[in-house]
Amino acid sequence: MDLRPLRHFIAVADTLHFGQAAQRLGMTQPPLSQSILALERELGAPLFIRSKRNVALTAFGRQWLEHVRPAVEAVSALPDIARRLRDGSAGQIGLSFVSTADYSLLPALVRDYAARFPEVEIALTEATSDVQIADLIDGVNDAGILIAPDGALPDALAYMPLLREPLVVAVPEGWVADDQAQGDPWLDRPLILFPRRVAPAFHDLVSGYLAGRGQPLLIRQEAIQMQTIISLVSAGMGIALVPASLRNLARTGVRYLDLQDAPILETGLAWRRDDDGATLAGLLGVARAMA
């Protein structure tokens, strides 16, 4: 259906005067009257009751107006919506993240991006690095905060380092004396760690550090969520080497202690190289400012 006669109908319905409506529309009255008559023929029902002195909406016209007005307004808004989608100020973006980022990068990145692009819907998904890489390649998400792999990422993905932080050791509070600030004496205790299949870079960083200290890798329990690992430490099941930002996860029964010559964990942002989406470009701009 042509949009022009719908706008003509709204103008006459608002003014209930063909002359005033024509003036508002910047046209003469005869073409406006012909447009309304043609619309009524197309609909098969009159929209207005006309007399020499008055114009009034029919019952059908009043009800149809309730549907026409929002439809025309929605169509009129399409150019502005297109502009905002084109420049990345509207739309949506899918962002996945490893659980460690919840206590370091994620809050600041989401806050800064939402402040700059308040009309963009952010869909967040927590996932391990291996799952994120597969999802990014498959187009499930637009970007992912993950732990930098030991080797190169697949060629289809680009990567931006965002954060490098030392590991600390999380120890059950009951094991630690009040004056202890270093965690090195606890490195011979049973370990709670990510499975290597889901976090090879993190697993190898921990095992390599312990091997360099002459410590065997004594894994008591594996878990894939950082919150679960810290809960198991709190339960006295063992120690865990975790990013220093996990100090922000205040858990009763856990002490975070510094390590001598602590290994450094790198976390960054990955995305598809061929993704030219405007919302992704906005996210990358915010991430670069953070980095």
Side-chain angles (χ1 to χ4, degrees):
M1 180 172 284
D2 190 350
L3 201 60
R4 281 188 305 172
L6 299 182
R7 291 198 174 99
H8 296 169
F9 166 58
I10 291 173
V12 177
D14 286 345
T15 60
L16 295 178
H17 193 287
F18 277 83
Q20 293 177 12
Q23 187 175 8
R24 176 197 287 189
L25 293 166
M27 60 191 300
T28 59
Q29 183 173 334
L32 175 60
S33 298
Q34 291 300 316
S35 175
I36 297 299
L37 287 171
L39 181 60
E40 290 175 323
R41 285 194 297 268
E42 181 178 355
L43 297 174
L47 295 168
F48 298 99
I49 301 171
R50 303 163 177 86
S51 69
K52 291 184 177 180
R53 294 188 177 182
N54 296 308
V55 174
L57 281 162
T58 63
F60 167 72
R62 285 196 303 272
Q63 294 178 65
W64 198 54
L65 179 63
E66 295 177 2
H67 298 276
V68 172
R69 192 187 302 278
V72 171
E73 289 174 351
V75 172
S76 299
L78 288 178
D80 183 61
I81 292 173
R83 177 191 59 76
R84 290 186 288 118
L85 290 172
R86 190 176 60 248
D87 64 20
S89 61
Q92 59 184 13
I93 189 165
L95 176 65
S96 54
F97 61 96
V98 290
S99 60
T100 54
D102 203 12
Y103 306 98
S104 57
L105 292 168
L106 183 66
L109 180 61
V110 170
R111 181 194 65 234
D112 291 353
Y113 182 78
R116 185 173 173 186
F117 303 101
E119 295 185 50
V120 176
E121 177 186 353
I122 307 172
L124 297 173
T125 306
E126 183 177 336
T128 53
S129 295
D130 61 325
V131 172
Q132 289 193 58
I133 290 171
D135 283 350
L136 285 171
I137 292 174
D138 291 341
V140 176
N141 282 310
D142 300 298
I145 302 174
L146 46 77
I147 294 171
D150 290 331
L153 282 168
D155 290 341
L157 300 183
Y159 173 79
M160 179 195 310
L162 293 180
L163 175 67
R164 288 173 55 82
E165 59 180 329
L167 297 186
V168 298
V169 60
V171 181
E173 190 170 31
W175 296 7
V176 183
D178 290 340
D179 59 350
Q180 283 184 303
Q182 293 292 323
D184 300 78
W186 302 108
L187 295 181
D188 60 351
R189 299 298 182 95
L191 189 66
I192 303 165
L193 185 60
F194 283 105
R196 191 179 188 283
R197 69 181 185 279
V198 301
F202 189 92
H203 189 283
D204 292 349
L205 184 66
V206 172
S207 61
Y209 175 70
L210 292 176
R213 299 289 299 268
Q215 298 286 352
L217 189 66
L218 302 174
I219 299 176
R220 182 172 183 182
Q221 181 68 47
E222 292 183 331
I224 63 173
Q225 299 292 333
M226 190 57 70
Q227 300 92 324
T228 304
I229 289 175
I230 298 302
S231 293
L232 294 174
V233 172
S234 176
M237 292 189 64
I239 67 167
L241 271 65
V242 299
S245 56
L246 260 289
R247 295 182 191 272
N248 294 322
L249 175 56
R251 180 64 59 86
T252 301
V254 177
R255 288 277 299 276
Y256 297 98
L257 304 176
D258 294 330
L259 291 169
Q260 185 177 4
D261 299 322
I264 302 298
L265 180 72
E266 181 178 292
T267 306
L269 190 71
W271 67 95
R272 289 182 300 282
R273 292 185 186 277
D274 62 357
D275 190 340
D276 60 355
T279 53
L280 174 63
L283 180 69
L284 295 180
V286 173
R288 289 189 184 97
M290 286 182 56

